[in-house]
Amino acid sequence: MNFIDSLLRGHYEEWRLAETGLGAEWATVLITPQFTTSRHVVGLVFTAGARRPSLVVKVPRCPGDNEGVQREADMLRQLSTRSGGQVTGIPRVVATLDVGERTALVETALTGAPLDPHRVAADLPGAVALGVDFVGALPCTRTGPENQDWYERTVERPLEALASLLPRDAEVPALVQRTHDLLSPLRRSTLPAVFEHADLSHPNLLVCPDGRLQVMDWERASLYGVPGHDLVFYLQYLSESADMAFSRVAQLAAFDKAFGPSGWALEPLREHLVLREVDPDLLPLLVIATWARSASTLAYRLASEDNPAPGSNHLRTAVLEDRDFWLWRHVVAAGQN
């Protein structure tokens, strides 16, 4: 019996696991995602004989690295409460438990079909509609007047953290400064805060049998995010998938096809900003802000996980070779032209 099985066996009645569909006998499959920033061992728990899991259990790889699972649990609970349970297609938190130096997160499993690149390419308009509906259902969490510190909190501080992690890199501070210069009109704008997932791409996306989008992995979520961020991120994933764009050069070309002049992603994004009561003329600046924020968050997560010295080659390579960094650099260059 592994750690996860022992944990579930000891709390089967207390956590009312039978109500999740988990029978008295089960099998657990342990997986370790191979992404650079993956911080957890994940257990998929199947009732004996079942083809789909009933539960997902996440446990930090490293003792004490509990921020990710704790954040995911908090965000899912907050989302359920603030939406009045109206946001569907998300896991339900069953329990969290501190075991030694690790926090284990137990949540219900999502069991739809992956919204992978091949499925996107087969029906791009359908995939667009799925994401527009899901992101549009995420609640606003602050009105504009209540959200006056939004730029400092969501853009300025993360970019400062990125620059401090790579103090000897000449490109990053210059890119940060150019970004602030371009975003000056956005900084002066009043924006509401929205619930934000921040990583709407494969493999976090599933489609359930009734056609609704299901979204997992909420450890990067924010209670007070920026309007449009999730949809920009999602539409870029769709554009890359539609063209099977896996190289960095191809991904930049996919961006230009979606967000360049007459890009196909501009209209659904404009409509979403209108829904959020945000001036659609701010669209180009919100696209820049999306990739600046995403790149800086990646750097912070890498530093939190590996604790390298600021400016280490490992950290520099991980940041400068990341897709989001390339997109950030690309949109800033386009914004200056």
Side-chain angles (χ1 to χ4, degrees):
M1 183 179 297
N2 62 41
F3 168 80
I4 290 176
D5 290 334
S6 178
L7 183 71
L8 298 179
R9 189 69 65 191
H11 295 83
Y12 188 87
E13 298 295 336
E14 176 189 353
W15 293 342
R16 303 168 70 174
L17 297 184
E19 295 181 11
T20 70
L22 187 67
E25 300 297 328
W26 62 78
T28 301
V29 177
L30 298 179
I31 59 176
T32 304
Q34 296 302 305
F35 301 109
T36 304
T37 55
S38 176
R39 300 159 65 179
H40 308 122
V41 174
V42 179
L44 303 180
V45 187
F46 297 77
T47 293
R51 301 183 63 182
R52 297 181 180 275
S54 296
L55 295 175
V56 173
V57 182
K58 294 186 177 183
V59 182
R61 290 179 182 174
C62 300
D65 184 23
N66 296 314
E67 190 272 340
V69 292
Q70 291 172 347
R71 184 178 189 82
E72 176 161 349
D74 180 50
M75 290 296 101
L76 286 171
R77 287 168 173 145
Q78 291 266 16
L79 179 54
S80 180
T81 298
R82 287 174 178 264
S83 71
Q86 296 303 302
V87 175
T88 59
I90 63 173
R92 177 177 66 84
V93 176
V94 175
T96 57
L97 183 68
D98 293 332
V99 183
E101 296 183 67
R102 290 179 170 89
T103 299
L105 166 61
V106 183
E107 59 190 27
T108 56
L110 303 179
T111 57
L115 185 61
D116 59 19
H118 292 285
R119 182 163 184 151
V120 171
D123 184 11
L124 178 60
V128 171
L130 286 175
V132 167
D133 288 347
F134 184 86
V135 175
L138 296 176
C140 285
T141 52
R142 281 179 180 166
T143 65
E146 297 171 322
N147 198 36
Q148 294 297 318
D149 67 339
W150 76 268
Y151 188 89
E152 178 185 7
R153 176 172 40 80
T154 67
V155 180
E156 187 171 18
R157 290 177 192 165
L159 291 182
E160 286 178 355
L162 174 61
S164 69
L165 290 171
L166 298 172
R168 295 189 297 273
D169 191 278
E171 180 182 12
V172 173
L175 187 55
V176 168
Q177 186 57 55
R178 291 197 298 272
T179 299
H180 288 312
D181 291 344
L182 288 170
L183 296 185
S184 180
L186 183 64
R187 184 174 198 157
R188 296 193 298 269
S189 300
T190 299
L191 297 182
V194 297
F195 207 104
E196 180 179 280
H197 179 275
D199 194 12
L200 287 180
S201 63
H202 181 67
N204 295 337
L205 308 172
L206 305 172
V207 181
C208 60
D210 66 5
R212 291 177 294 109
L213 192 66
Q214 296 179 313
V215 179
M216 54 188 176
D217 287 344
W218 290 81
E219 67 181 80
R220 292 176 64 178
S222 172
L223 191 58
Y224 305 113
V226 177
H229 180 105
D230 271 340
L231 196 55
V232 170
F233 197 98
Y234 178 79
L235 295 174
Q236 174 64 20
Y237 164 66
L238 297 190
S239 191
E240 292 174 10
S241 298
D243 290 347
M244 295 296 162
F246 303 120
S247 72
R248 293 292 177 259
V249 172
Q251 288 165 344
L252 298 186
F255 173 87
D256 291 338
K257 183 179 290 188
F259 295 96
S262 302
W264 62 260
L266 299 180
E267 189 56 30
L269 184 54
R270 285 193 189 98
E271 292 176 357
H272 177 73
L273 294 180
V274 171
L275 173 71
R276 294 302 195 195
E277 299 183 346
V278 173
D279 183 355
D281 288 344
L282 295 174
L283 185 155
L285 302 183
L286 288 167
V287 172
I288 293 172
T290 294
W291 299 114
R293 296 180 65 222
S294 191
S296 63
T297 300
L298 171 70
Y300 178 79
R301 294 175 71 231
L302 283 166
S304 296
E305 180 183 359
D306 298 326
N307 294 313
S312 70
N313 289 334
H314 167 75
L315 182 57
R316 185 179 188 278
T317 298
V319 172
L320 300 186
E321 292 184 357
D322 180 70
R323 182 207 67 160
D324 295 1
F325 184 88
W326 279 59
L327 285 166
W328 176 30
R329 185 165 48 191
H330 184 67
V331 296
V332 168
Q336 293 179 307
N337 294 332

